[in-house]
Amino acid sequence: MKKYQWLLAAGLFTGLAALFHLWSPNIVDLDSFYYIRQAWLYGTNGLFDASFPWLPYSVISLFSASLWYGFAVLLIPFTLFANLVWGIKLAGVIFTATALLSYYWIMKRHQIRWPLLWPLILFFSAPNVLTQFLMVRPQIISLALVPILFSFLLKGRWWPVLLASFGVAWVHLNFAWVPVLVLGAVIIAKRSWEWPKIGAVLSGICLGWLLRPDFIGAAKLFYVQVIQQIFQKQGGLPLLFGKENYPLSFEILLRNFTPFLLLLILALVVIWLGAGKMRELSPDQKAIIWSSSILAVVFFLFTMLVARRAYNFWAEFGVIIIAAAFSYFYSGKPTYRSGMSPAQALLGIIFVFMVFYSGSKGIMAIDKNTYQPTELQEPALWLRDHSEVGDIVFNLRWPDFSQLFFWNQKNYYIGGLDPIFQYAHNQGLYWKFHYLAADQVTKKTCGAI
């Protein structure tokens, strides 16, 4: 019976992922073009060649390292396609389905009722979260690994903690701090110091950092994109930051996250009404409630005050709170006609609304706000055919780099991936680029703010 449950879950999540990834021939996120081409380079030139001369005015070229090394390595099998766009699509289906299946697994592991429901609620929690699930970026691996890390920190042996922490740091060094945060929340909730697991988290992060070419350069890139960028952004420096690095506005919060917020409120009401049952819960059940609550609050604050990219983790731990509330606290009697309790009926209504609202918004975004793989193919190939090796393309839109690089590795480019890397390399050159890119050359042309 359990085998069929797993087959049902795997089939459902794979079908859901395929539906959204294959709905359109377009690609949801521009950086996917960069990652698949970087993986192709590793497969072609070797896993230990992390040099990146294609951005000569960026510290990425200077340090010859990658923050996303592990993710590019994982993508290598998907570069075996003659058409790399299909490699992006297949990778997206597999990664999305795996992330949802891992979430289903931890729900079953902690004996949460209706384990098949909660990954679906997470996927449809908001259009923003759904879109993140469709991006072939390192974040999708983190969405799978962080809940697994959380689960084994709550209960289990130390070695899965080591592997999960390693995976997060190796795939996405930017998020190397997340395992430490999760560990801290679990320590507070359990009020105990499990030294083997603490050592496993720290060792896993260190291994994920060290097991890459030029780990010193990677550490410098981590400082630039995580530490320096936060200070520059909070200080009001008007760099050309990507939208995901800005806080989420209250307008978008209310427009896209209201159903999810209502579910969280409903869960808190259920916990409040069943507060007397707290004594009956096991230590593990209490720990999962308190630690997920701490993490949901912290990631919500990150989302609203620092960078909106944190809403993925806010949603993950928020859904855990909702699931725990209905599993551990709620025992409402079903009504006579429907066979459902009022809270269960409300949960079902909100979930159905989520599916239609987030699903329709996601489809609209795929149709209108995604990127045609061939959009920059013609100019990129023309540049390749009418230039010398190493000639520099003056691309004023830094996001265009990923597609240009995907089609043309013969040329180098002014900027790409993140403007903070250009700023850290040479502030004077960055500001000249900035005023041109922002169409402000009638007012400012000098290399200073």
Side-chain angles (χ1 to χ4, degrees):
M1 187 65 180
K2 290 184 178 180
K3 179 177 69 174
Y4 293 113
Q5 290 177 350
W6 279 101
L7 288 175
L8 172 63
L12 174 62
F13 299 144
T14 302
L16 185 66
L19 171 65
F20 281 90
H21 278 283
L22 304 181
W23 180 269
S24 166
N26 294 349
I27 301 299
V28 172
D29 183 72
L30 277 174
D31 283 349
S32 302
F33 295 103
Y34 158 73
Y35 290 121
I36 197 74
R37 182 56 72 183
Q38 181 68 63
W40 178 86
L41 285 171
Y42 286 149
T44 303
N45 300 334
L47 293 177
F48 301 104
D49 183 4
S51 60
F52 201 82
W54 290 273
L55 291 171
Y57 303 109
S58 166
V59 290
I60 290 180
S61 177
L62 180 65
F63 297 147
S64 295
S66 174
L67 292 166
W68 319 281
Y69 175 74
F71 185 65
V73 173
L74 292 179
L75 280 176
I76 289 176
F78 302 100
T79 65
L80 301 178
F81 291 87
N83 183 351
L84 290 185
V85 175
W86 275 108
I88 296 174
K89 289 289 186 180
L90 180 59
V93 172
I94 292 176
F95 290 159
T96 299
T98 301
L100 293 173
L101 198 61
S102 70
Y103 205 70
Y104 168 78
W105 178 75
I106 71 161
M107 291 297 173
K108 289 184 69 67
R109 188 169 187 266
H110 291 277
Q111 299 178 332
I112 301 289
R113 296 168 65 191
W114 319 317
L116 204 59
L117 173 65
W118 308 114
L120 298 176
I121 286 184
L122 173 63
F123 185 78
F124 290 106
S125 57
N128 310 62
V129 176
L130 188 153
T131 303
Q132 289 287 313
F133 268 104
L134 303 181
M135 293 183 178
V136 183
R137 300 180 67 179
Q139 288 92 321
I140 189 64
I141 306 297
S142 301
L143 283 174
L145 290 176
V146 170
I148 294 174
L149 170 67
F150 175 70
S151 176
F152 278 98
L153 282 171
L154 288 169
K155 66 175 185 177
R157 303 188 65 181
W158 62 269
W159 62 266
V161 173
L162 175 71
L163 292 177
S165 301
F166 163 77
V168 172
W170 188 63
V171 166
H172 200 186
L173 190 59
N174 302 46
F175 282 175
W177 54 273
V178 173
V180 177
L181 178 62
V182 175
L183 172 65
V186 172
I187 288 174
I188 293 171
K190 297 181 73 172
R191 299 179 182 178
S192 66
W193 296 79
E194 298 182 61
W195 293 107
K197 291 183 179 180
I198 294 172
V201 168
L202 299 179
S203 299
I205 293 172
C206 288
L207 287 173
W209 164 49
L210 294 173
L211 295 182
R212 66 181 67 230
D214 198 348
F215 55 86
I216 299 297
K220 294 177 180 178
L221 289 179
F222 174 87
Y223 172 81
V224 170
Q225 192 175 38
V226 178
I227 308 299
Q228 183 178 354
Q229 181 161 257
I230 288 177
F231 281 115
Q232 302 292 5
K233 184 176 60 176
Q234 297 301 321
L237 196 68
L239 300 181
L240 297 172
F241 295 114
K243 289 183 179 180
E244 66 179 13
N245 292 312
Y246 286 104
L248 188 73
S249 69
F250 279 99
E251 178 187 355
I252 296 177
L253 177 71
L254 294 177
R255 184 172 69 238
N256 289 350
F257 288 85
T258 293
F260 178 61
L261 288 170
L262 289 175
L263 275 185
L264 272 178
I265 293 171
L266 177 62
L268 294 176
V269 170
V270 167
I271 292 173
W272 177 67
L273 292 175
K277 293 186 176 182
M278 185 66 79
R279 298 175 183 175
E280 303 173 13
L281 299 182
S282 68
D284 287 337
Q285 290 173 331
K286 292 178 183 178
I288 195 173
I289 291 169
W290 289 117
S291 55
S292 60
S293 298
I294 293 170
L295 290 167
V297 169
V298 170
F299 283 119
F300 174 75
L301 293 176
F302 279 169
T303 299
M304 302 305 297
L305 301 177
V306 182
R308 66 185 66 188
R309 66 169 65 186
Y311 55 57
N312 301 320
F313 297 125
W314 169 43
E316 280 198 319
F317 290 104
V319 172
I320 290 175
I321 296 171
I322 298 166
F326 279 89
S327 296
Y328 302 154
F329 288 89
Y330 193 69
S331 59
K333 296 181 179 179
T335 59
Y336 176 74
R337 293 183 178 179
S338 67
M340 298 177 66
S341 65
Q344 288 173 337
L346 185 56
L347 172 65
I349 292 171
I350 295 175
F351 170 63
V352 171
F353 179 80
M354 277 181 169
V355 171
F356 282 99
Y357 182 74
S358 296
S360 62
K361 293 270 285 188
I363 292 297
M364 289 174 58
I366 292 170
D367 288 336
K368 296 181 180 179
N369 300 323
T370 50
Y371 305 94
Q372 296 180 8
T374 58
E375 184 177 356
L376 294 180
Q377 179 182 8
E378 185 177 352
L381 296 182
W382 187 93
L383 287 165
R384 185 194 66 185
D385 296 337
H386 294 81
S387 63
E388 301 296 328
V389 175
D391 282 351
I392 297 174
V393 176
F394 197 88
N395 57 309
L396 276 180
R397 271 180 43 85
W398 64 268
D400 289 342
F401 163 76
S402 292
Q403 270 191 304
L404 291 170
F405 172 66
F406 176 82
W407 292 108
N408 173 11
Q409 303 89 54
K410 181 180 179 181
N411 294 139
Y412 296 168
Y413 302 89
I414 291 293
L417 301 180
D418 197 322
I420 191 66
F421 296 129
Q422 290 172 261
Y423 179 81
H425 180 270
N426 187 309
Q427 294 183 19
L429 286 178
Y430 170 77
W431 286 117
K432 292 179 180 181
F433 164 84
H434 178 100
Y435 296 133
L436 287 164
D439 197 20
Q440 295 179 354
V441 290
T442 56
K443 300 178 181 178
K444 304 172 183 177
T445 56
C446 63
I449 186 170

